[in-house]
Amino acid sequence: MFQEDMAGSPPSCPSAFAAPRLYPSVLAARLKMTSKEQRKQWEAEQKTLAALRVQEDLLDWSCEDGFPDLHRVAGVDVSFFADGTYAIATVVVLSFPQLKVLWERSAAFRLSVPYVPGFLAFREVPALAQLMDSVPCALKPQVVLVDGNGAFHPRGCGAATHLGITVDLPTIGVAKDVLKVGEVNSSLARRVSLTLAPGQWASLCEVAALFRPRMGKPLVVSPGHRISLETALQLTRAICGTSAPEPVRQADLRSRRAVKAWHAGQEVEYLSNPRLRHLERVQAVQELAEQGELRTSERVDVTRSKCKWQVKAPVVPQVEEDTRTWGSILFGWMCVCMSRDGQP
């Protein structure tokens, strides 16, 4: 059993750890506490990222029957240790349409953020994004399925949207539970589910639908980033096994397997400070957006997609009014114009 240093990583084993130490109850209680200021910061970050979500299909594969040119799909999942201090993040890349595992990686990380409903992404996405960065270029997934929500979220930025914008990949949220978003709640979902046969779905709102797999409870499907709800539903149906999409199921199996491996005495790879790296990445994304160099739903590069486009009205929550001066706005506009100089 390692002795953890203040940074949260085992000093004697930088890339793997032998056992997470159980912490006193006072530390566990502290993890469960979040200040109002912290929640305001999280809400502001979610609103900023939600405004950057691309609502249409921005893909390098076709949305036609059979999804031509789609060769790799990924699933991500997180499993937790019993002490509530550590977790295992897993990324699995599968071939399509064969759904054979091409690449996988699991790693442990320390939970620096407690579980707070509506803010799951801050707990899981930093580690998942770090693992996504390690996928070999030849095996980079063309779409990622996340065990969580996408745009179906009180502030339009669930874990799938958060991850998609962070790593700039198309993402789909597939959740087992129904959030309270607007007029949609679990009671409405239960009534809708009674009308569905296996393989069918029904709309819950403009950014979410309820899908019934062959077995198990209905799933809430919502687009995360760079994909429409229609395409997200079609693909989820195509790769859904008995009760869950195969990429998510494989990621879940492997993350649980890593937890069991530790209990059996095996070493597990350890990620150091994923939250810090994630904060730097989000800041870079926000700076690109302010400079007009990031794709948004209002300015989509249609040359990258072979899909049939269907532009919908924005459904993300409104971001607080921008307080910048007219001078700074003009400067930003000039930067965008200069960045486009010489382009057709």
Side-chain angles (χ1 to χ4, degrees), residues 1-299:
M1 181 177 295
F2 70 81
Q3 296 297 316
E4 186 183 49
D5 64 4
M6 295 300 293
S9 59
S12 60
C13 194
S15 62
F17 75 96
R21 183 174 62 179
L22 297 180
Y23 283 76
S25 59
V26 61
L27 181 57
R30 187 181 305 172
L31 266 178
K32 296 180 181 178
M33 297 174 59
T34 55
S35 65
K36 292 182 179 180
E37 291 75 14
Q38 179 66 78
R39 293 192 182 214
K40 288 182 179 179
Q41 292 177 1
W42 288 346
E43 289 177 357
E45 182 175 328
Q46 286 179 331
K47 291 178 181 179
T48 299
L49 293 177
L52 300 176
R53 183 177 74 88
V54 175
Q55 304 174 59
E56 301 86 21
D57 293 318
L58 183 55
L59 313 165
D60 61 357
W61 43 276
S62 175
C63 305
E64 298 175 357
D65 292 342
F67 303 101
D69 300 321
L70 177 59
H71 306 295
R72 296 173 303 280
V73 297
V76 300
D77 190 58
V78 175
S79 292
F80 300 91
F81 285 98
D83 69 346
T85 306
Y86 289 88
I88 297 287
T90 298
V91 173
V92 180
V93 180
L94 281 68
S95 63
F96 183 87
Q98 299 84 2
L99 299 180
K100 302 297 183 182
V101 175
L102 302 176
W103 184 90
E104 65 176 277
R105 184 183 176 191
S106 296
F109 65 100
R110 183 178 178 179
L111 295 166
S112 60
V113 174
Y115 171 71
V116 181
F119 301 100
L120 178 66
F122 296 94
R123 186 174 170 90
E124 300 183 357
V125 167
L128 294 173
Q130 187 169 335
L131 291 184
M132 290 295 303
D133 288 341
S134 66
V135 180
C137 293
L139 297 177
K140 280 289 183 183
Q142 296 166 280
V143 61
V144 182
L145 283 88
V146 181
D147 183 13
N149 288 289
F152 181 67
H153 183 272
R155 287 163 294 280
C157 188
T161 299
H162 204 124
L163 178 64
I165 294 174
T166 301
V167 300
D168 192 23
L169 285 173
T171 53
I172 301 172
V174 182
K176 295 179 286 292
D177 299 317
V178 182
L179 287 176
K180 172 68 172 68
V181 180
E183 300 298 324
V184 180
N185 53 36
S186 58
S187 297
L188 173 64
R190 279 195 297 269
R191 293 195 298 270
V192 173
S193 67
L194 296 176
T195 67
L196 300 177
Q200 293 183 335
W201 63 74
S203 175
L204 292 175
C205 62
E206 291 182 330
V207 292
L210 200 63
F211 171 70
R212 180 177 288 280
R214 285 182 291 171
M215 296 179 59
K217 61 191 301 186
L219 304 173
V220 180
V221 179
S222 61
H225 180 52
R226 290 177 50 184
I227 197 167
S228 66
L229 177 59
E230 291 83 0
T231 303
L233 279 168
Q234 293 287 350
L235 181 59
T236 300
R237 181 183 182 183
I239 61 178
C240 193
T242 56
S243 60
E246 187 63 13
V248 173
R249 190 182 77 88
Q250 291 293 338
D252 176 71
L253 289 174
R254 282 157 173 75
S255 62
R256 293 174 183 270
R257 186 183 303 168
V259 173
K260 292 180 179 179
W262 168 78
H263 284 293
Q266 301 178 24
E267 289 190 345
V268 179
E269 182 183 359
Y270 185 86
L271 297 179
S272 178
N273 296 323
R275 176 62 180 162
L276 178 60
R277 299 184 183 184
H278 183 70
L279 289 173
E280 296 173 348
R281 185 200 300 262
V282 171
Q283 182 179 1
V285 169
Q286 293 176 350
E287 290 176 353
L288 287 174
E290 291 175 357
Q291 297 170 9
E293 298 178 6
L294 195 69
R295 287 188 296 270
T296 66
S297 57
E298 287 78 24
R299 183 161 55 86

Side-chain angles (χ1 to χ4, degrees), residues 316-329:
V316 296
Q318 292 184 354
V319 182
E320 297 180 0
E321 183 178 358
D322 199 340
T323 57
R324 294 178 299 178
T325 63
W326 283 106
S328 62
I329 295 176

